[in-house]
Amino acid sequence: QKVQTVLIGVSDDRGVGLSGGRLGAVEGPQQFRDHFWRMNAPESLARGSILDAGDMVSAARTNETHARLTEVIDVLRDRFCEAKMVVVGGGHDHVYGEVLGVARWLRKQSGSRDIKLAHISCDARANVHSVQGEPNASGALKRLLLEPSAQLDGKSLVIWGLQRALTADKHMAFLRAHGVPIHSWEAIEEDPRRAAGQLVAKICS
């Protein structure tokens, strides 16, 4: 049976703790599995089409864990190139390793460093803080926007559900300076249908 979806867990929320956030996301992958595997599968979903690759073993530091996740994504993409990759964390900082893993694989496949990536961040917070020392959850998107290896520019990043009350003016200015499309939680709540239509249009463009 052809594998159509690969599930990977990252049971690591140290990045959340380093940014002063509430711990507990370390249980995310197992909690996801506990609920997901009890759901009734649609008839169109063939047996064996979802592969649970287990939880990646975290490293001693978050930047090492991100590098390890980049490698895991790259390797799994080589093995299951047509499958969807679903990564369940863990902290938001792991998106850095995920995107770099996809970028690395695409560069190998295309034989070129000039590739295009897009990312939708569904989060109440901007996650574009300047981080000193060990990377954490608050600075993941800023790293992706500033580091050339990520191959992610502002127009290809969408912030969905940002809460203005939780976002500093300097972070809003940073996002606007990079041309990042922002869909605030307030606007989504005011007209969910219109906001969803705008998101779909962005994805399909």
Side-chain angles (χ1 to χ4, degrees):
Q1 174 60 46
K2 185 177 181 179
V3 174
Q4 298 177 346
T5 304
V6 178
L7 172 65
I8 315 154
V10 185
S11 297
D12 187 330
D13 61 359
R14 288 174 297 173
V16 178
L18 288 168
S19 63
R22 182 175 58 188
L23 296 177
V26 67
E27 304 292 340
Q30 190 55 52
Q31 290 289 327
F32 176 86
R33 292 185 178 96
D34 290 345
H35 290 278
F36 180 75
W37 294 118
R38 290 203 300 265
M39 296 174 65
N40 293 319
E43 294 182 2
S44 60
L45 188 65
R47 183 180 295 274
S49 61
I50 300 178
L51 171 67
D52 187 346
D55 286 359
M56 187 193 76
V57 178
S58 299
R61 300 179 67 83
T62 57
N63 60 336
E64 296 168 353
T65 298
H66 300 160
R68 186 171 294 180
L69 181 57
T70 295
E71 185 68 26
V72 167
I73 294 293
D74 183 21
V75 170
L76 287 173
R77 272 292 181 195
D78 273 337
R79 176 64 179 83
F80 305 101
C81 60
E82 297 181 7
K84 298 180 177 68
M85 297 286 163
V86 178
V87 181
V88 181
H92 188 272
D93 54 298
H94 300 305
V95 69
Y96 176 81
E98 297 169 38
V99 171
L100 257 64
V102 174
R104 178 187 295 181
W105 181 78
L106 285 173
R107 282 195 292 268
K108 289 193 307 183
Q109 295 300 305
S110 66
S112 170
R113 296 193 61 82
D114 187 19
I115 60 172
K116 292 184 178 180
L117 287 176
H119 176 69
I120 300 172
S121 176
C122 299
D123 202 313
R125 300 179 183 276
N127 295 312
V128 292
H129 289 66
S130 295
V131 177
Q132 301 296 324
E134 193 170 356
N136 63 54
S138 294
L141 295 185
K142 188 168 189 176
R143 294 176 72 197
L144 289 175
L145 287 170
L146 295 182
E147 295 187 19
S149 58
Q151 294 284 328
L152 192 68
D153 61 40
K155 293 181 180 179
S156 62
L157 170 65
V158 176
I159 307 290
W160 177 264
L162 185 72
Q163 292 190 23
R164 188 63 182 89
L166 300 177
T167 309
D169 289 343
K170 63 179 181 180
H171 296 146
M172 288 295 296
F174 175 85
L175 293 172
R176 287 171 178 150
H178 284 79
V180 177
I182 300 171
H183 297 263
S184 70
W185 172 252
E186 293 79 8
I188 295 170
E189 193 174 36
E190 181 179 339
D191 193 343
R193 187 179 297 275
R194 178 174 179 271
Q198 291 175 338
L199 180 60
V200 172
K202 180 66 178 177
I203 293 172
C204 297
S205 63

